[in-house]
Structure formats: structure tokens, C-alpha cells
Amino acid sequence: MCTVCGCGDGEVKIEGEAHAHRHVHADGTVHEHGHAHEYEHAHSHDGEIADAHGHAHTHADGTTHVHEHVHHGEHAHEHGHAHDHGHEHDHAHGEAHHHHGDLDYGSGPARAHVPGMSQARMVQIERDILSKNDGYATKNRAWFDEHGVFALNLVSSPGSGKTTLLVKTIEALQARLAIAVVEGDQQTANDAERIRATGAPALQINTGKGCHLDAHMVGHAMERLQPADGSLFLIENVGNLVCPAAFDLGEQHKVAILSVTEGEDKPLKYPDMFAAADVMLLNKCDLLPYLQFDADLAEANARRVNPKLTVFRVSATTGEGMADWLAWIDAGVAAQRARLADNVAALKARIADLERQLAAK
């Protein structure tokens, strides 16, 4: 589903890529990407997941399933029980926990379930994927900091009003700020076209079957967009409150958008996203008089998940609450520009010191 794990084979498309380059990984996955690695997004295929093999079990009812093992040392199994390979048995590897008859497949160490795969194996795969993504994210963030760019990753369910909110934000700020935008969707360039209609440069990334952007994709977008020093860089992620929570893109802040047409309990149903976010925009507040939606309860639920969350109640349609949101962005841009000024001052001081040392010789 992303370029760092390779499971989006041939699916990811970035507007204007000149050519594709194909890689075959040790595990057999394939991915393609365009080139021009100005930001040192060179590919490394070290650390691929290996030493795994399928292991079959036949149950008492005659059904058979296969799960993967990684053997460390002398035939060490990760599924928590001993057996030989010729007997029948009933067991559950990371199966659902039951509560009042409900099924909970997110209670194991991996907090997810894949038929035939152990929880330990799932945890290891996730760590491998995220560690590779985090390496790209670290490079992105270092570049943003070095150039004083304020980068935001906007995440939400589909239909929350992200793109309309972005359009209104750009229209309000573009007279005083340079702004560049990355748009993430599975298909079409519709949202990028809406952004470009404001006059702001935008690049569409289509993820195909993928459900989120990753730091590698964003790095390529940075190469193409060339954000100006001291500018605002907005990333509209794929509409999804699950997968984007885990993937750092190198942004300064994740901004979660919840519309009042959804539900007050959305932060409790999708806690990872609201825990990862620094800001929540409660959007479409102009509709509150017509809905049975408790804005105070929605905000309280979000703060149950993340007590440090900053919340703005806004309407992109009427402009309600937008002044506070825009002021928060202005403050973030100012902080990044101050970082840039400090970097320049430190560099000048270093040059002056070297010149003094040379003059003394």
C-alpha cells in the first residue's frame, strides 16, 4: 500500500514523472518510481525481511492453514506453544478476544489480525516498514527545518471538507505567504486541479490501491515543487483515519479534520489518528443548527484520546473560526522562519570565525 513496503506495485503515480525505474526486492515485491533524487532520496534495499517460511497446521476439523515463521537460533517458534509437525490440534494465533459476544481483533501486540500470521511476525513487519519510512521522514523534516518551511499533514475521513478548507486557507494566506500543496488520492487529479485554480502550485500523488501517503512519496513531491524558503507546505493525505496515523511524512504537525456531519465518537473509534495529531479542526460548524451533533462532546472525546490537542471550530463555507486557524499557521511559519534566521546567523558566525583563524596564520 506504500512505496516503503513495496506492496503498491505499479500503483503510485506522481504527476509529471518522466520515467519509471523498477526494483525487485528480496521478498519478490516490485515497485517503480521516477528519478531525480535532489533531496538524497536514494533507495536502499538493505534490511529486507528474510528468513521466513510458511508453516502448515492441520486442525481437527480437517482444515489447514499456513503461517510464517522467522527462526532465531535453534528452531524458535513465535506462536507460543510447543508441538511436533505431525499431530492435529486446535489453537488460535492472535485470534479475537471476546467481550459480551463481540469480537476484538485489535487486542494483540500487533493490534491487528492477518489470518495465518503470528502477532510477533506482524509486529516485526510493521517495525521494518515504519523504520524505513521514518528514515525518509527524518530527511524531509531536516530539509524543512533547514529551509524554514512550515509543513502540515492534513488527515481526515473522506468528505470532511479538507480540500474546501485548504482552498479557503490558501486564498486567505497567499498574498503574504508562498504556499505549495501535495494532494493524495487513490485516483484522479481533481483535488490538485482545485488547488491550482487558486494560483498555488500543487502536485497530485495517486496511490492506487494504497490508503495513505508515505515519506518517500512526499520527498519526491518536494523535489518537484521546490518549496521556497520560509514558505507553507500543505499535504492533503488520502481520506482515511487509520493508516495515515502511523506514517510520519516529515511534517511539523498532523492536523486531523472532523466534520460535524460525522459523529461525536469518531475520536474514540479511531484513536490512533487523534493521538498522533497536534491539532483538530472541527469543520462544517455552520451546519450545527441543523444537526443533532454535540460539538462539546466531540471535543471532549478528542481530548480523552489526546489531552494536549489544540482544537479549532471552523466553517470553510462561512469563515467562522478561520481567523484563529490562520493565526495558528502564521505563528508556525514565523517560528520556522526564526529557525531559518538562526541557521543563517550560525553559518555566518562560523564563516567569520574561520576567516579570523585564517587571518591569524
Side-chain angles (χ1 to χ4, degrees):
M1 289 181 282
C2 63
T3 56
V4 292
C5 70
C7 57
D9 176 21
E11 294 287 342
V12 176
K13 297 178 182 177
I14 300 177
E15 281 185 310
E17 286 288 6
H19 69 280
H21 188 72
R22 196 173 185 87
H23 287 294
V24 181
H25 291 263
D27 61 359
T29 59
V30 182
H31 77 269
E32 296 181 354
H33 60 83
H35 278 277
H37 300 290
E38 181 179 341
Y39 295 98
E40 299 182 0
H41 279 266
H43 289 269
S44 172
H45 302 290
D46 298 330
E48 299 291 351
I49 301 166
D51 299 324
H53 69 271
H55 187 69
H57 292 293
T58 302
H59 293 262
D61 61 0
T63 60
T64 302
H65 77 269
V66 179
H67 59 85
E68 292 188 352
H69 289 285
V70 180
H71 298 292
H72 304 288
E74 184 65 25
H75 207 71
H77 287 277
E78 295 183 355
H79 51 278
H81 68 276
H83 58 79
D84 61 41
H85 299 284
H87 73 276
E88 297 178 346
H89 57 279
D90 292 305
H91 61 81
H93 297 282
E95 292 293 341
H97 285 235
H98 298 264
H99 180 68
H100 300 303
D102 298 328
L103 298 177
D104 182 0
Y105 284 94
S107 58
R111 300 182 62 203
H113 173 75
V114 174
M117 184 177 292
S118 73
Q119 290 284 293
R121 176 65 172 151
M122 290 175 66
V123 168
Q124 184 59 54
I125 290 172
E126 181 176 2
R127 285 175 178 168
D128 290 343
I129 292 171
L130 292 181
S131 64
K132 185 183 291 187
N133 180 78
D134 288 347
Y136 290 124
T138 297
K139 291 181 179 180
N140 291 350
R141 183 170 290 109
W143 191 92
F144 288 139
D145 289 345
E146 181 182 349
H147 292 267
V149 175
F150 188 51
L152 300 177
N153 178 9
L154 280 75
V155 293
S156 77
S157 300
S160 68
K162 283 195 305 298
T163 309
T164 299
L165 186 67
L166 273 181
V167 167
K168 296 297 184 180
T169 298
I170 292 166
E171 290 174 346
L173 294 174
Q174 62 186 348
R176 62 181 186 270
L177 278 179
I179 304 172
V181 181
V182 174
E183 285 290 338
D185 283 299
Q186 288 189 309
Q187 297 295 342
T188 83
N190 293 350
D191 287 351
E193 294 293 346
R194 289 180 63 187
I195 298 300
R196 285 192 281 259
T198 69
L203 184 71
Q204 183 72 52
I205 299 177
N206 289 140
T207 60
K209 293 179 182 178
C211 52
H212 61 88
L213 296 177
D214 63 47
H216 185 253
M217 299 176 193
V218 171
H220 281 296
M222 291 161 62
E223 294 170 355
R224 296 287 309 284
L225 288 167
Q226 295 284 316
D229 288 0
S231 65
L232 176 63
F233 193 78
L234 299 171
I235 305 164
E236 182 179 351
N237 217 315
V238 178
N240 180 355
L241 281 177
V242 183
C243 303
F247 283 79
D248 182 6
L249 305 182
E251 73 274 9
Q252 271 73 47
H253 301 283
K254 274 189 177 69
V255 178
I257 301 170
L258 173 66
S259 76
V260 301
T261 54
E262 296 178 67
E264 301 97 333
D265 60 349
K266 186 65 71 73
L268 303 180
K269 290 181 175 179
Y270 300 91
D272 287 358
M273 182 59 76
F274 292 88
D278 298 309
V279 174
M280 183 181 84
L281 299 179
L282 188 59
N283 195 26
K284 304 185 183 181
C285 284
D286 55 300
L287 298 179
L288 282 172
Y290 312 102
L291 300 170
Q292 293 182 333
F293 182 92
D294 188 335
D296 291 335
L297 178 59
E299 188 170 329
N301 286 338
R303 289 206 166 97
R304 280 177 60 187
V305 174
N306 184 352
K308 296 181 180 180
L309 199 63
T310 297
V311 179
F312 298 107
R313 299 186 185 185
V314 300
S315 167
T317 301
T318 66
E320 175 188 349
M322 290 293 288
D324 290 339
W325 159 240
L326 298 174
W328 181 85
I329 291 176
D330 282 331
V333 171
Q336 281 295 89
R337 287 177 172 177
R339 184 193 297 269
L340 174 61
D342 289 344
N343 291 340
V344 172
L347 180 60
K348 288 181 176 178
R350 177 59 177 160
I351 292 172
D353 183 55
L354 290 172
E355 288 175 342
R356 283 192 296 271
Q357 292 179 30
L358 289 172
K361 291 183 178 179

